[in-house]
Amino acid sequence: QVQLVESGGGLVQAGGSLRLSCAASGRTFSSYYMGWFRQSPGKEREFVADISWGGGSTYYADSVKGRFTISRDNAKNTMYLQMNSLKPEDTAVYYCAGRKGSEYDYWGQGTQVTVSS
């Protein structure tokens, strides 16, 4: 089992940058496939990006491709989401999640990102 805690959210102007972190408890972080999701008011939660166990494989939603970068440091039990060229439509609560199988079983509490125009 793993516990996840996000940090790094905040208020930023359009065009700015933020880096989110997801800190995991336990000693098995490297055995989890990890992902970032987000949810805006009135919308369903949507996939943002994911990263393989060793970090060698990443995948992005089209809406963030080229602007966001997902990474992980297994020695620090931490995953990151570098967000550049932020847009107002990126405003959402961002969640990190982990899975061992096909479904994400573990979720953080979320961190708010607000992009002003």
Side-chain angles (χ1 to χ4, degrees):
Q1 190 169 353
V2 64
Q3 291 184 324
L4 305 173
V5 179
E6 303 94 336
S7 62
L11 174 64
V12 64
Q13 288 189 331
S17 298
L18 281 175
R19 188 175 83 154
L20 305 183
S21 297
C22 173
S25 64
R27 294 176 288 180
T28 61
F29 177 67
S30 60
S31 67
Y32 290 87
Y33 213 97
M34 299 295 296
W36 286 99
F37 294 78
R38 66 186 182 186
Q39 187 167 22
S40 304
K43 295 186 178 181
E44 292 190 356
R45 185 170 58 198
E46 65 173 352
F47 169 82
V48 174
D50 65 20
I51 187 165
S52 60
W53 306 271
S57 177
T58 59
Y59 185 76
Y60 298 91
D62 287 344
S63 59
V64 307
K65 199 173 298 182
R67 299 187 299 122
F68 291 10
T69 302
I70 189 172
S71 62
R72 65 191 296 167
D73 185 338
N74 287 340
K76 295 182 178 180
N77 281 8
T78 303
M79 176 178 66
Y80 305 98
L81 184 68
Q82 178 66 44
M83 306 186 295
N84 298 329
S85 302
L86 282 161
K87 305 175 181 180
E89 51 264 44
D90 294 317
T91 295
V93 177
Y94 283 72
Y95 299 90
C96 66
R99 61 178 175 90
K100 284 196 170 183
S102 60
E103 299 293 327
Y104 281 94
D105 300 311
Y106 303 99
W107 294 85
Q109 82 291 347
T111 186
Q112 176 70 48
V113 171
T114 302
V115 184
S116 63
S117 57

